[in-house]
Amino acid sequence: MAVRGTRAPVGEPLAEMREAELLALVRAQPLPRHVAVIMDGNGRWATQRGLPRVAGHRAGVKAARAIVRAADALGLGYVTLYAFSTENWSRPENEVSMLMRLLERAVRSELPELMARNVRLRLLGRTNGVPAGVRRGIERVAHETRHNTGLTLLMAFNYGGRDELVDAFRTLAARVRAGEVAPEAITEAHVSQALYAADVPDPDLLIRTSGEMRVSNFLLWQIAYTEFLVTPKLWPDFSAADLYRAVAEFQGRTRRFGGV
Ligand code: FPP
């Protein structure tokens, strides 16, 4: 199946358009339901400025806040941010503990704004292995926002795509053992239903900053037909206007879903 791009031809190149114009342009066309983001380049952003890496992560938090506001203004249904991967544990211990504290504090301090914007926070990832205080802080915000009906913000935290599939296969194996499903009756839908956020539609668009052409163990099952957009911008420099440009580019693409 092919779904034609719907973006109307624009007179002005996207790169030269300002935030408000871009917002109006993309809002007039069908939106992706779910945008996933690999936020990469905080460390390089800091190094380029002669700053410690922590300064890059702090700037990264600001960029994440701006993107949540922009996604809300746009009316997106779901945004997934890759905040901490299972591989990130191999960073130096002080960077890991600093990141944990920073992410927990960032989420906690955002609670009033998430409530005001009707944003629901959900966690995606394995909860075991995360320091208890950090886990409790983030889970509290997820709990407080659980009835919000606007944007759903999925925070991939201690997340690994292969781990998610291993966990799904364990769930399925248990169902087989319990006699609920026969091995030969297992379909793609069974696997999808066993994922961490089974009710969330697959991402339509995956954005990666800092120019790296890698998937980095992110949403491996869910991105089978996702459109990719890699920008050379480092995450702290990624703005609301950049998100709108990415969506405009997505709207101009033709999705084939394996067809012609
Ligand atoms: C990539 O930079 C970013 C991370 C490892 C994740 C941390 C993300 C933030 C602090 C942004 C805020 C997120 C939320 C959800 C509040 P890097 O260190 O890999 O950069 P490098 O590749 O240049 O070293």
Side-chain angles (χ1 to χ4, degrees), residues 234-257:
L234 304 176
W235 175 248
D237 293 326
F238 192 80
S239 65
D242 292 317
L243 176 70
Y244 301 150
R245 278 188 204 100
V247 171
E249 182 171 332
F250 166 86
Q251 289 170 331
R253 291 197 189 170
T254 301
R255 300 183 79 187
R256 297 182 200 284
F257 299 97

Side-chain angles (χ1 to χ4, degrees), residues 39-44 53 57 60-61 64 83 91 99 103 155:
M39 308 176 288
D40 195 12
N42 293 349
R44 274 163 284 173
R53 289 175 62 82
H57 293 312
V61 170
R91 295 187 176 207
L99 260 175
L103 289 168
M155 184 164 142

Side-chain angles (χ1 to χ4, degrees), residues 38-47 53-54 56-65 68 81-85 88 91 95 98-99 102-104 106-107 110 121 153-157 208-210 212 214 234-236:
I38 302 178
M39 308 176 288
D40 195 12
N42 293 349
R44 274 163 284 173
W45 183 93
T47 306
R53 289 175 62 82
V54 59
H57 293 312
R58 283 202 200 99
V61 170
K62 276 195 192 158
R65 191 178 297 128
V68 172
L81 299 179
Y82 204 1
F84 194 90
S85 75
N88 287 154
R91 295 187 176 207
E95 182 169 345
M98 180 278 298
L99 260 175
L102 184 71
L103 289 168
E104 191 255 331
V107 168
E110 288 311 302
L121 179 85
L153 174 62
L154 293 122
M155 184 164 142
F157 186 74
R208 181 168 189 147
T209 58
S210 95
E212 307 291 346
R214 280 192 294 276
L234 304 176
W235 175 248

